[in-house]
Amino acid sequence: MNKDILNVILVMLIALGILAPIASNDFMPNITDFANHSGLIAQAKKSLFSGDFPLRVASWQHNGYQYPEFQFYSPLPFTISAIVYGLFVSFNVYLALKVMYWLILVFAGIYTYRMGCLITRTKEIGILMAVSYILSPYFLINILARSAFTEAFAQGLIPFCLFYSFKF
């Protein structure tokens, strides 16, 4: 099997291991942002599938007064998570949030791996860079301790932006 595929599988498994503390689909940690972001994903799904694109308002928030929540938070992470929630895991919004965290970690790991391979021309250093990036303390704090969804999403985009900036 190709070494790149094995390294991507390794990144996927490590990302799955990172999310082990929040593995239960029945128990949500006692951190308020897990509930807040799960609620926003549910509202984003309702808005997106009723024709609101780009996302602007959270229709259930503040007694249904069409609060412009997605103009204050980044609408892109909630749009993607609404698609994941609506099409793939529509039975559990908290699972959709965890799938998004997993996708963020895998995306960041793959592009950090590609960046490492581009800079050093060795796959070993590329996978070492990828693993050390997705295991960095600030990334783990954003996901597991703070449940900072939009911040983790932005942090997951950094390797993508660096890779293509460096490549061009």
Side-chain angles (χ1 to χ4, degrees), residues 5-18 102-103 105-107 109-110 127 134:
I5 294 172
L6 288 174
N7 287 336
V8 168
I9 291 171
L10 179 66
V11 166
M12 294 167 85
L13 290 173
I14 290 172
L16 198 61
I18 289 170
W102 183 77
L103 289 172
L105 286 167
V106 170
F107 188 78
I110 288 171
I127 195 64
I134 64 174

Side-chain angles (χ1 to χ4, degrees), residues 17 66 85 99 146 166:
Q66 302 288 316
Y85 178 45
V99 167
R146 296 180 54 225
F166 188 83

Side-chain angles (χ1 to χ4, degrees), residues 3-19 104-117 122-140 143 155 159:
K3 199 170 191 177
D4 290 329
I5 294 172
L6 288 174
N7 287 336
V8 168
I9 291 171
L10 179 66
V11 166
M12 294 167 85
L13 290 173
I14 290 172
L16 198 61
I18 289 170
L19 298 176
I104 289 167
L105 286 167
V106 170
F107 188 78
I110 288 171
Y111 275 97
T112 306
Y113 170 71
R114 291 184 69 188
M115 181 70 179
C117 291
T122 60
K123 296 180 187 304
E124 292 81 10
I125 295 191
I127 195 64
L128 180 64
M129 284 177 63
V131 170
S132 57
Y133 185 72
I134 64 174
L135 286 173
S136 66
Y138 193 63
F139 216 161
L140 298 179
I143 293 173
Q155 195 171 359

Side-chain angles (χ1 to χ4, degrees), residues 41-53 55 78-88 90:
I41 289 171
Q43 292 189 61
K45 177 194 164 209
K46 180 183 181 278
S47 295
L48 186 67
F49 286 95
S50 65
D52 186 20
F53 183 80
L55 293 177
F78 289 107
T79 302
I80 295 171
S81 60
I83 292 168
V84 167
Y85 178 45
L87 298 179
F88 301 110
S90 60

Side-chain angles (χ1 to χ4, degrees), residues 24-113:
S24 173
N25 290 335
D26 299 325
F27 172 75
M28 186 179 292
N30 195 15
I31 299 168
T32 57
D33 277 351
F34 278 111
N36 290 341
H37 292 306
S38 296
L40 284 173
I41 289 171
Q43 292 189 61
K45 177 194 164 209
K46 180 183 181 278
S47 295
L48 186 67
F49 286 95
S50 65
D52 186 20
F53 183 80
L55 293 177
R56 292 180 298 276
V57 297
S59 54
W60 298 334
Q61 197 158 354
H62 299 296
N63 298 323
Y65 291 134
Q66 302 288 316
Y67 186 70
E69 180 77 30
F70 300 112
Q71 293 177 359
F72 302 121
Y73 269 107
S74 175
L76 179 63
F78 289 107
T79 302
I80 295 171
S81 60
I83 292 168
V84 167
Y85 178 45
L87 298 179
F88 301 110
V89 290
S90 60
F91 53 91
N92 189 341
V93 68
Y94 179 52
L95 181 60
L97 178 65
K98 293 189 303 183
V99 167
M100 282 301 299
Y101 280 135
W102 183 77
L103 289 172
I104 289 167
L105 286 167
V106 170
F107 188 78
I110 288 171
Y111 275 97
T112 306
Y113 170 71

